[in-house]
Amino acid sequence: MSCNNNSLLSGNKVVVILVFILCLVHSSESLRPLFACDPANGLTRTLRFCRVNVPVHKRVQDLIGRLTLQEKIRLLVNNAAAVPRLGIGGYEWWSEALHGVSDVGPGAKFGGAFPGATSFPQVITTAASFNQSLWEEIGRVVSDEARAMYNGGVAGLTYWSPNVNILRDPRWGRGQETPGEDPVVAGKYAASYVRGLQGNGAGNRLKVAACCKHYTAYDLDNWNGVDRFHFNAKVTKQDLEDTYNVPFKSCVYEGKVASVMCSYNQVNGKPTCADENLLKNTIRGQWRLNGYIVSDCDSVDVFFNQQHYTTTPEEAAAASIKAGLDLDCGPFLAIFTEGAVKKGLLTENDVNLALANTITVQMRLGMFDGNLGPYANLGPKDVCTPAHQHLALEAAHQGIVLLKNSGRSLPLSPRRHRTVAVIGPNSDVTETMIGNYAGKACAYTTPLQGISRYAKTLHQEGCAGVACGGSQGFGAAEAAARQADATVLVMGLDQSIEAETRDRTGLLLPGYQQNLVTRVAQASRGPVILVLMSGGPIDVSFAKNDPRVAAIIWAGYPGQAGGAAIADIIFGAANPGGKLPMTWYPQDYVAKLPMTIMAMRASGNYPGRTYRFYKGPVVFPFGFGLSYTTFTHSLAQSPLVQLSVSSYKLNTAIFNSSSNSIKVSHANCGTFPKMPLHVEVSNTGEFDGTHTVFVFAEPPENGIKGLGVNKQLVAFEKVHVTAGAKRTVKVDIEPCKHLGVVDEHGMRRIPMGEHKLHIGDLKHTILVQPQL
């Protein structure tokens, strides 16, 4: 069809309108390159790789067999080149969807029919909900919007999200992107979000392809002169198995993720993107990844030019591909792979194996076959829908954590608190609320706007920005507080303080923020509520101990609807149920340990990291969070369970008498019955509310060297209980999965003896003994 002016001018008015509409449709479709195997593509429709009834691996094999070496090499990088003679268009692999479709990567662009996408709370906030079904639902909505944008020609289908690294150190600038400090939580988050993104996996098909990053032991950006490009993370086998690799294994095993990204740093002297043991042997070999491995952007260039790991660039290209890398974010492999083949450092078959992994994912996405299937009709109408925006609000409700509520000062009453002073550098922010790796939000509700829906507001920033370099605005803020029935101070951090490439130096509020809070609290004639926006924890001991600060709320980075959610919590339209996914340490904690020490366990003067290994004082502990109601637990079964573990033969390979333990790999795990815990949760207060049931395991002290664990979260369940009602939560305890610990050699063992399960204030004992 021709869409020139002559066709529009011919015929009657109705024909002109119809032709114009058809031209618009054609123009919109043309934004997306023609699919290689589209029936309209005469070049390829008869070739075997285009036959949808042929198994995917055969189609991939056929396509690779038709490519020249030079064509193959140009497909090894994120901006893969077109192969016109086979009808294959260029493709940009790099898109991001950490908590909504993002334009951080070049693969997605906003504008025109897609001015924005739903921006959910930053991951650390969503993790605080401890709600696995919510995590999966957010993933489902994000992938709906991603597919819609792909159909509109403005996005790809490969998203390098989620970030599942462990928040090991509270200063890490990217901690906001992660699900927190606990490996089990990070693993559950990873699997849930990935399932939401990738769809139900029917027929081995993918809705979009997710990517778990950054593998592994990656949690330092730029601290005290050490940056991520030069950092060698020295990690024990114990910590690698027990902490750092746990979320990635869960991603692959439970989430069936389509991709894993290797990181910039070295681990024990080897760049992760050139480590055959980490990539080929572990991710693909042990964990059986069905997908591709991609480098963090320019990682191969980094380990050659900055880490000087190889002598020549061709050696670097060969080292990465032979280690198991399939795709390079960056141009390095496109430039140097052919030279590596010519020098005999690499074979063309090595290149073929890498390509097979990436092209297989594209085939599973349907990218060769035309816009068919259940997602074909998604378009602009499916982005920023009212339902999606409501989910963003609900996610913020569930993730916000109430840290202090003296004398039940909250919730405020719209009848008694008719005038509210809203003060602080984060009181009327928009982009701050969505954190990093975000896109263009559908719309924003700031804290000031949210509170304005409930009361008349008196607004003062108090100081310019979160750096809060002076006290010039303090007087006006104090005056507002004196006039109001209540005062809400919205303080904290933003991307100028914590971000990618930017780690914090300490844990206190920046600049003069603490002074502003204290002075306003002294001046206020009504209750003072301190709201904190941040990714990492903040030492607010001063406010926790100040009787004039009635309540403290941590909102994280609460997303596009963050201001509405904060206001709903403050005025009781929503009951806070979030729990901290990380420990909040006092400022002097970080003086005791450099970020560069990766050890998790305490030793000598080294205090250890996270609630699992640190025994010192905290500002607020992992898992802490208050509610407007009260909950109690009770166990609906006997307090002691005996479990006999068959050890086959009592030799040192299986049963270790010195540590009184048995290797999980030899424990005949499949024969153990699941041990159900029935926990009754009673809401004994006046508000309906949600509660997280945490089950921690404390292993016996029986001689396993270097164990050092206080307790370990093994399960958690979110439950909603109406006021005065009771709900029973069933948690299945699996001995090999939940009672195992990791020894100094990286081996998982089940210690014999009494394992204590902690459920709130309750303790439940499981006695494990060898069957001799």
Side-chain angles (χ1 to χ4, degrees), residues 579-596:
K579 306 287 185 182
L580 291 179
M582 72 299 208
T583 304
W584 283 39
Y585 304 93
Q587 166 68 10
D588 64 0
Y589 170 80
V590 296
K592 299 174 184 175
L593 71 174
M595 279 192 74
T596 48

Side-chain angles (χ1 to χ4, degrees), residues 59 99 114 121 147 160 324 449 459 501 510-511 514 521 602 638 695 715 755:
R59 296 177 67 188
H99 50 111
F114 300 94
R147 267 282 175 175
W160 294 346
Q449 291 169 337
H459 180 231
T501 75
Q514 180 170 327
S638 62
V695 181
H755 293 253

Side-chain angles (χ1 to χ4, degrees), residues 87-311:
I88 298 172
Y91 179 66
E92 176 54 69
W93 286 83
W94 181 9
S95 293
E96 303 281 355
L98 185 69
H99 50 111
V101 179
S102 167
D103 57 353
V104 169
K109 294 177 174 62
F110 292 112
F114 300 94
T118 309
S119 196
F120 290 92
Q122 181 59 291
V123 176
I124 196 74
T125 309
T126 304
S129 71
F130 285 89
N131 186 341
Q132 296 176 63
S133 61
L134 173 68
W135 300 340
E136 185 167 341
E137 180 64 7
I138 291 172
R140 187 194 66 75
V141 165
V142 171
S143 58
D144 274 355
E145 299 196 352
R147 267 282 175 175
M149 292 177 66
Y150 172 73
N151 292 345
V154 295
L157 288 178
T158 47
Y159 288 85
W160 294 346
S161 303
N163 178 345
V164 298
N165 292 118
I166 297 299
L167 178 49
R168 168 186 63 101
D169 191 291
R171 294 163 289 192
W172 188 30
R174 301 187 74 175
Q176 59 182 292
E177 302 173 33
T178 76
E181 72 181 37
D182 182 81
V184 169
V185 174
K188 294 294 185 187
Y189 176 88
S192 300
Y193 190 64
V194 165
R195 280 193 294 265
L197 285 176
Q198 295 191 165
N200 61 16
N204 200 29
R205 295 300 288 261
L206 293 165
K207 186 180 180 185
V208 305
C211 173
C212 286
K213 63 186 186 184
H214 313 78
Y215 178 79
T216 182
Y218 173 85
D219 47 21
L220 176 149
D221 267 61
N222 193 342
W223 176 84
N224 204 27
V226 180
D227 68 40
R228 56 187 176 167
F229 305 125
H230 300 90
F231 180 50
N232 176 24
K234 296 177 182 177
V235 188
T236 65
K237 291 180 179 179
Q238 186 176 39
D239 284 339
L240 204 61
E241 172 66 24
D242 190 37
T243 298
Y244 296 113
N245 282 359
V246 172
F248 294 97
K249 185 176 182 179
S250 179
C251 237
V252 178
Y253 265 178
E254 297 177 41
K256 311 296 182 190
V257 76
S259 176
V260 174
M261 176 184 285
C262 53
S263 53
Y264 290 119
N265 57 294
Q266 296 186 354
V267 172
N268 298 326
K270 268 194 174 182
T272 65
C273 293
D275 191 326
E276 185 174 3
N277 184 53
L278 287 177
L279 305 188
K280 187 176 286 184
N281 295 349
T282 302
I283 298 177
R284 197 168 296 285
Q286 293 177 31
W287 301 346
R288 315 299 295 173
L289 172 72
N290 180 18
Y292 70 98
I293 299 173
V294 61
S295 73
D296 204 342
C297 293
D298 293 320
S299 283
V300 185
D301 182 277
V302 163
F303 79 65
F304 171 67
N305 280 309
Q306 299 195 45
Q307 297 175 5
H308 308 297
Y309 183 68
T310 63
T311 304

Side-chain angles (χ1 to χ4, degrees), residues 15-31:
V15 171
V16 170
I17 292 171
L18 284 174
V19 171
F20 180 65
I21 291 171
L22 287 171
C23 288
L24 283 178
V25 171
H26 176 76
S27 174
S28 172
E29 288 179 346
S30 68
L31 291 171

Side-chain angles (χ1 to χ4, degrees), residues 464-541:
V466 294
C468 199
S471 58
Q472 295 90 339
F474 285 18
E478 290 170 295
R482 288 189 193 99
Q483 298 172 50
D485 300 318
T487 297
V488 177
L489 284 146
V490 192
M491 314 297 287
L493 314 178
D494 66 12
Q495 302 305 303
S496 70
I497 304 294
E498 54 176 358
E500 186 170 5
T501 75
R502 184 177 294 119
D503 297 324
R504 285 191 286 163
T505 56
L507 304 182
L508 300 177
L509 284 169
Y512 288 90
Q513 283 196 45
Q514 180 170 327
N515 302 59
L516 176 60
V517 173
T518 301
R519 282 180 52 174
V520 168
Q522 287 174 336
S524 180
R525 68 181 175 91
V528 175
I529 296 92
L530 174 60
V531 177
L532 300 166
M533 283 191 199
S534 72
I538 305 170
D539 182 355
V540 287
S541 301

Side-chain angles (χ1 to χ4, degrees), residues 630-632 680-685 688 720-727:
T630 51
F631 297 97
T632 61
E680 280 191 349
V681 181
S682 300
N683 184 337
T684 56
D688 298 348
H720 185 269
V721 191
T722 55
K726 229 181 240 189
R727 291 280 301 277

